[in-house]
Amino acid sequence: MEHTNSKRPRLALLTAPGVPDPHNLDAIRERADVVIAHADTLADALAGADAVLLWDFFSSALSDAWHAADALQWVHVAAAGVDAMLFDGLRAAPVVLTNAHGTFSQPIAEFVLASILAHDKQLHRSETLQRQGTWQHRELTRTGGSRAIVVGTGGIGRATARLLRAVGLQVEGAGRTARDQDPDFGTVFASDELAAHVGTADHVVLAAPLTDATRGILDAHVLAAMKPSAHLVNIGRGSLVDEPALIQALQGGQIAAASLDVVAVEPMPADHPFWQMDNVHVSAHMSGDVHGWRDELADQFLVNLDAYIAGEPLDHIVDKDRGYVSSSPAAI
């Protein structure tokens, strides 16, 4: 169904206390009738709405308010991951879902590289020794020539592979479909064969979307196949990992270390073992949040809003069955 300028769209904008408004909210209001909503008022805002901007992108309020969506055509999530929004009602409805594909790819790739370098060059250990007033010479690990497996071959995984290869790492990918001669990964093997390949990797990077197929993909079986010197980097979702199995593997020396930007429960509980583990380095789900990131998200949405109003193809349409961006834009 094509949208035209004959009717101003009604846009429900989900936000939350403390979340700054889109910097271009005035420009959005010039194009659409905007109803600002929080989780408890989203149902009222959805009545008659043509589109929803999930500016509070971690919220699951859309699922609770879905019964009120009587005219909805388009949902935009201002984030790369859409797992919190892929409930059965949205999957089944003839509603287009778009996301912030591309905005976070390079910053997250840089974060992965920084995590690998910090591990190889023992930067965390050096900081601890500095605080202790201890001068301790050590030999470090050469990063160039080491091997990395990137699990997830979407935009973030590809940006990561390109950057790691640029500094001399050998990189393979794990994805839904095995293939050779991939332009970014060289070789991609099937994700369900991860245990058969992971033993060669010095660094295992989780960059896959969270779907039924990827939930718990790094489990005890895969961890047992990793080498004792291996380093895990997770910038995807905490639930990609069997967390109790990872804790056991790290405590038992089955793998060497983990750099985790995401964990199963966020914020991480005060009694979580990761807080006290010297070989675990946790950050607060921030790997893609560089200065200006919210402005980029708002600008990206405005481009799609203009396309929606003109009846033109939208960018970054998510395949709702698979949980990642499809390659075919479409008009509504």
Side-chain angles (χ1 to χ4, degrees):
M1 177 176 170
E2 185 174 295
H3 197 91
T4 67
N5 287 316
S6 61
K7 173 180 174 291
R8 278 175 62 86
R10 177 182 170 94
L11 172 69
L13 192 159
L14 176 65
T15 186
V19 176
D21 289 337
H23 79 100
N24 55 2
L25 183 56
D26 288 344
I28 294 172
R29 282 180 163 143
E30 289 174 0
R31 294 158 168 81
D33 296 328
V34 178
V35 181
I36 304 292
H38 291 173
D40 58 348
T41 60
L42 182 59
D44 293 336
L46 277 179
D50 302 290
V52 176
L53 168 57
L54 297 179
W55 190 242
D56 179 15
F57 44 80
F58 284 128
S59 174
S60 59
L62 185 60
S63 175
D64 297 332
W66 189 249
H67 63 276
D70 54 2
L72 200 60
Q73 296 182 325
W74 171 36
V75 174
H76 180 81
V77 183
V82 297
D83 47 279
M85 299 76 182
L86 279 177
F87 52 92
D88 291 343
L90 177 55
R91 288 181 190 270
V95 175
V96 172
L97 176 64
T98 58
N99 75 347
H101 179 77
T103 301
F104 299 103
S105 298
Q106 187 64 24
I108 291 177
E110 293 169 358
F111 190 94
V112 171
L113 176 59
S115 298
I116 289 174
L117 290 172
H119 173 76
D120 285 351
K121 309 311 174 188
Q122 299 184 26
L123 299 187
H124 303 293
R125 178 63 178 157
S126 290
E127 183 175 8
T128 298
L129 291 169
Q130 177 185 340
R131 298 289 177 262
Q132 296 172 351
T134 301
W135 181 276
Q136 183 187 93
H137 180 270
R138 288 107 62 213
E139 293 185 346
L140 307 177
T141 300
R142 186 189 302 274
T143 301
S146 63
R147 300 179 66 87
I149 289 175
V150 179
V151 183
T153 57
I156 292 171
R158 289 188 175 279
T160 299
R162 288 193 293 268
L163 188 56
L164 297 186
R165 293 178 78 179
V167 298
L169 279 86
Q170 301 175 46
V171 182
E172 290 183 300
R176 204 169 48 86
T177 305
R179 54 194 176 273
D180 294 321
Q181 299 181 336
D182 184 276
D184 296 316
F185 295 96
T187 299
V188 175
F189 56 84
S191 297
D192 57 8
E193 298 176 355
L194 185 57
H197 295 269
V198 78
T200 66
D202 300 293
H203 306 277
V204 176
V205 181
L206 300 183
L210 180 61
T211 66
D212 291 342
T214 62
R215 186 179 299 275
I217 192 170
L218 196 90
D219 57 12
H221 180 55
V222 174
L223 286 161
M226 294 171 67
K227 55 187 181 180
S229 59
H231 169 223
L232 171 69
V233 182
N234 189 5
I235 47 78
R237 285 290 186 264
S239 295
L240 296 172
V241 176
D242 178 339
E243 213 162 80
L246 176 60
I247 292 169
Q248 184 174 356
L250 288 161
Q251 290 177 335
Q254 199 168 30
I255 69 171
S259 299
L260 308 175
D261 188 53
V262 289
V263 291
V265 177
E266 298 177 3
M268 197 165 72
D271 60 350
H272 199 292
F274 285 157
W275 289 119
Q276 304 302 324
M277 295 173 65
D278 291 339
N279 57 349
V280 177
H281 311 294
V282 175
S283 50
H285 201 148
M286 54 191 269
S287 60
D289 298 351
V290 295
H291 293 296
W293 66 280
R294 288 190 181 275
D295 290 352
E296 291 185 40
L297 294 178
D299 292 341
Q300 185 184 53
F301 172 74
L302 190 62
V303 170
N304 249 2
L305 179 60
D306 284 337
Y308 172 74
I309 292 169
E312 296 174 351
L314 301 183
D315 289 329
H316 315 314
I317 292 178
V318 176
D319 184 322
K320 292 187 288 184
D321 292 326
R322 296 172 177 167
Y324 56 81
V325 171
S326 68
S327 59
S328 302
I332 299 177

